[in-house]
Amino acid sequence: MTRSLRALLVEDNPDDRVLVERELRRGGFEVQSIRVQTAEELRAALRNEPWDIILSDYRLPGFDAPAVLGVVHDSGLDIPVIVVSGSVGEWEGVEVMKAGARDYFPKSLLTRLPAAVSRELEEARIRHERARGERDRALLANASEVLARSLDFQETLDHVVHLPVPELADWCAVYVSEDGKALRLAALAHEDPEWVRRGFEADRLFPLDPGAASGPAYVWRSGESQLVSDVPSSRLEVLARSPEHLRALLGMGLRSAIHVPLLGRARRLGVMTLGITGSRQGFTPVDLSVAQELARRAALALENARLYREAQEAIRLRDEFLAVAAHELRTPLTTLGLQLGTLVQRARRESSSDLVGRLERGLRQVRRLGTLVETLLDVSRLSTGRLPLSLERVDLGELVGEVLERFEAEAQAVGCALKLEVAPGVVGQWDRMRVEQGVSSLVSNALKFGPHQPVEVRVVPGAEVARVVVEDRGIGIPEDQLERIFERFGRAVSSRSYGGLGLGLYLTRRAAEAHGGRVWAEQRPGGGARFTLELPLRAASPAAEVPA
């Protein structure tokens, strides 16, 4: 069976080239070769084309076998070198073998050449497969690690295109579709930044043909991967839509390509294209398998990034709606509250106690609705990461007492006795409204989840901090929910059973953090829950950064 062989001959005698090629053909090889005589010619040949083997004379004018081996070593290519020379003795043979030659023998024994070449090709194949296996395992392991670093869609795209360059390909591109139809070049990687610039420019001038019979557009339509082991210029001439387009394609120097679809859970996300432009061997079916596995992992990361981007956009739109709705509701609620307050005062003077009671209940509901609106406004402020504070001298005991007075009617309605224990002289620089808001949230929470049971509130001084402790004997909080209840819209129970927005404790924690304090929950021995709001006695920054 005839085997194809690409042989690079370092030889100054044309007749010796003829002898070498003739012997290789006798050994069953179909030889394609070029002859070089200098280091510059050798470097150019290694740079421009792939080679199976290098056959070198020992001594040429101004050049010799050790120098040849040095050039091959510097190129980084694993190409077996066999020294064939009429002047190779034992000493020279040992020298070249130490320098990296795979074999040596005199030209008088050329009949040995085909067997030596066959042996070296097989050993090179085994080395290449072993190295490729190690490379592929390292590439995929690195891909899993790199793709987990970010949920930003464009950043993930940039990670994807850089993963196979230069280990697997000379360049990598990812095409995505915004409308589910047309593809656009979204990311491109190459070791040469100028090449990347020209690639984007070529895509801008000559966008992909949606109806192309091959390439990214075809893979996008069909969902099937495509391997192009060799890209002859004739193929580029068929693909080109104009002479300018052909020049751009030829300027890329494409030798081999792989196109793989990026398949999400429910739809195709895009196409990943890998290309070879240098002198390395074209892509193989093994490379296609690696590219498909890389694309699978990349598609998962890109879909997660896309879903995260959509979720962030949904959150932004929700926050915008909450802010607008809260601002629109605030004015009529303020007016309604003032009107009801006026009617309550007049009813106390002129009407029955039954009417007064009804008006007061209505006023309490309006105030409650106003509190919910302010809560929504605070959430929209927190989405920017800042919660402004207006600091003043506050007696914490007096503040907590005022809060409990406002909750007295609600506590009676649910059958809870409010108990307050206050240490005198607990004074600090705090934002009165934010602290009231936090204490009110803790007391309201205790009344909601501990009806018909006493609620105990304590103001406890410390050397550097002051604490407000609220205890109830209600349903308690599961251990695994003690942190979750402080998240935005976080709950430990069903909203259908207990209502509310799930924002009170979230805002309490953010207000505490804005002051440089904290708030936490724990299970109360004997049943129920204990919440502790801790505030520093030192002054906080008037406008604190708060993670939203």
Side-chain angles (χ1 to χ4, degrees):
M1 182 180 66
T2 302
R3 292 172 290 173
S4 176
L5 178 69
R6 292 182 56 82
L8 179 57
L9 305 182
V10 185
E11 177 63 67
D12 61 335
N13 188 336
D15 294 336
D16 286 347
R17 173 187 180 181
V18 173
L19 293 174
V20 167
E21 290 185 354
R22 185 176 62 189
E23 199 62 44
L24 289 172
R25 291 190 183 95
R26 286 177 178 173
F29 289 103
E30 182 180 341
V31 183
Q32 295 179 347
S33 71
I34 66 171
R35 182 172 64 92
V36 298
Q37 303 179 67
T38 66
E40 290 73 20
E41 292 176 346
L42 176 58
R43 292 190 185 95
L46 294 174
R47 185 168 55 249
N48 295 330
E49 297 185 60
W51 301 102
D52 298 321
I53 199 156
I54 297 174
L55 303 176
S56 176
D57 197 350
Y58 181 80
R59 185 172 289 109
L60 294 83
F63 202 29
D64 60 12
V68 168
L69 292 163
V71 171
V72 175
H73 178 270
D74 293 342
S75 72
L77 300 173
D78 182 12
I79 304 174
V81 178
I82 296 178
V83 176
V84 182
S85 175
S87 59
V88 174
E90 183 175 350
W91 185 90
E92 291 86 355
V94 172
E95 180 185 14
V96 295
M97 293 293 285
K98 287 181 178 179
R102 305 298 301 180
D103 202 352
Y104 73 94
F105 44 82
K107 291 179 179 178
S108 59
L109 297 177
L110 276 182
T111 52
R112 291 178 46 190
L113 184 59
V117 169
S118 297
R119 182 192 68 236
E120 293 306 323
L121 293 179
E122 177 62 17
E123 291 185 2
R125 183 189 65 80
I126 294 173
R127 289 197 308 275
H128 292 168
E129 288 186 355
R130 184 183 300 115
R132 183 167 58 188
E134 294 174 354
R135 178 206 66 188
D136 294 345
R137 286 191 294 273
L139 172 63
L140 295 176
N142 183 52
S144 298
E145 178 183 349
V146 169
L147 292 174
R149 292 176 184 171
S150 174
L151 283 173
D152 180 82
F153 189 79
Q154 187 59 48
E155 187 176 344
T156 302
L157 278 175
D158 292 337
H159 287 327
V160 168
V161 294
H162 281 90
L163 281 170
V165 177
E167 286 79 8
L168 182 60
D170 292 318
W171 59 269
C172 177
V174 169
Y175 300 87
V176 299
S177 173
E178 301 294 345
D179 56 5
K181 298 178 181 179
L183 288 174
R184 68 172 180 87
L185 179 60
L188 179 62
H190 189 279
E191 289 189 298
D192 183 358
E194 176 60 21
W195 199 98
V196 174
R197 188 197 66 76
R198 288 191 286 110
F200 274 108
E201 179 67 12
D203 182 74
R204 184 184 67 81
L205 295 174
F206 311 105
L208 294 175
D209 177 7
S214 63
Y218 170 79
V219 172
W220 170 251
R221 295 196 314 271
S222 67
E224 299 176 357
S225 299
Q226 190 175 57
L227 167 64
V228 184
S229 299
D230 183 53
V231 183
S233 58
S234 58
R235 182 184 180 93
L236 297 179
E237 292 172 359
V238 173
L239 294 175
R241 302 197 294 272
S242 68
E244 294 79 10
H245 190 198
L246 178 59
R247 281 195 295 271
L249 292 175
L250 292 173
M252 294 174 62
L254 183 63
R255 300 177 61 90
S256 184
I258 288 176
H259 309 287
V260 186
L262 296 168
L263 303 176
R265 297 178 182 88
R267 63 186 179 91
R268 291 190 291 274
L269 304 174
V271 176
M272 182 174 71
T273 294
L274 287 74
I276 287 177
T277 57
S279 61
R280 74 170 87 190
Q281 295 285 349
F283 289 122
T284 67
V286 174
D287 295 322
L288 175 61
S289 298
V290 175
Q292 289 173 323
E293 177 59 23
L294 179 62
R296 186 187 69 80
R297 302 185 188 198
L300 178 61
L302 287 172
E303 185 163 54
N304 289 340
R306 178 183 62 82
L307 293 174
Y308 178 75
R309 182 178 64 183
E310 292 176 356
Q312 291 298 101
E313 178 64 13
I315 291 172
R316 184 187 66 80
L317 292 174
R318 182 198 65 192
D319 288 343
E320 285 186 2
F321 169 77
L322 291 177
V324 171
H327 278 291
E328 292 296 322
L329 290 171
R330 176 192 259 176
T331 299
L333 279 176
T334 302
T335 302
L336 181 59
L338 291 173
Q339 294 293 331
L340 281 176
T342 301
L343 289 175
V344 168
Q345 296 299 323
R346 181 177 297 179
R348 285 174 178 168
R349 295 193 302 269
E350 303 174 1
S351 304
S352 65
S353 59
D354 180 63
L355 180 59
V356 171
R358 292 187 180 187
L359 288 172
E360 287 180 340
R361 285 194 294 274
L363 182 58
R364 282 198 300 272
Q365 292 304 314
V366 169
R367 287 173 177 168
R368 181 170 180 270
L369 187 55
T371 300
L372 293 176
V373 169
E374 291 299 324
T375 297
L376 293 179
L377 278 173
D378 283 340
V379 170
S380 65
R381 293 188 189 104
L382 279 168
S383 66
T384 67
R386 299 185 69 85
L387 187 65
L389 300 179
S390 179
L391 301 179
E392 59 181 293
R393 186 179 183 277
V394 176
D395 186 309
L396 191 57
E398 291 181 3
L399 182 149
V400 173
E402 292 172 3
V403 170
L404 293 190
E405 285 182 11
R406 291 199 298 270
F407 276 94
E408 190 62 43
E410 183 177 339
Q412 290 178 3
V414 296
C416 292
L418 292 175
K419 300 180 180 180
L420 176 61
E421 180 182 333
V422 177
V426 183
V427 178
Q429 290 288 323
W430 302 305
D431 184 313
R432 173 178 287 275
M433 184 190 74
R434 300 295 178 196
V435 176
E436 282 185 356
Q437 194 177 41
V439 175
S440 297
S441 177
L442 298 183
V443 173
S444 174
N445 192 74
L447 296 176
K448 180 190 296 186
F449 296 105
H452 311 296
Q453 298 290 336
V455 173
E456 300 175 1
V457 182
R458 298 191 302 276
V459 178
V460 183
E464 297 183 354
V465 298
R467 294 187 178 93
V468 178
V469 182
V470 180
E471 291 188 0
D472 66 67
R473 293 172 172 79
I475 62 174
I477 307 170
E479 186 73 29
D480 61 349
Q481 299 293 320
L482 290 175
E483 279 299 313
R484 184 177 181 276
I485 58 175
F486 289 100
E487 297 175 0
R488 183 159 49 175
F489 305 106
R491 296 176 177 278
V493 294
S494 169
S495 60
R496 294 184 178 181
S497 302
Y498 289 91
L501 298 175
L503 293 171
L505 294 178
Y506 167 75
L507 290 173
T508 300
R509 170 164 283 184
R510 295 302 177 254
E513 291 173 348
H515 282 89
R518 59 189 183 122
V519 63
W520 69 90
E522 54 193 325
Q523 295 174 334
R524 178 184 175 277
R530 177 189 295 131
F531 288 82
T532 303
L533 171 62
E534 184 178 271
L535 299 170
L537 291 172
R538 56 178 173 79
S541 171
E545 289 284 348
V546 181

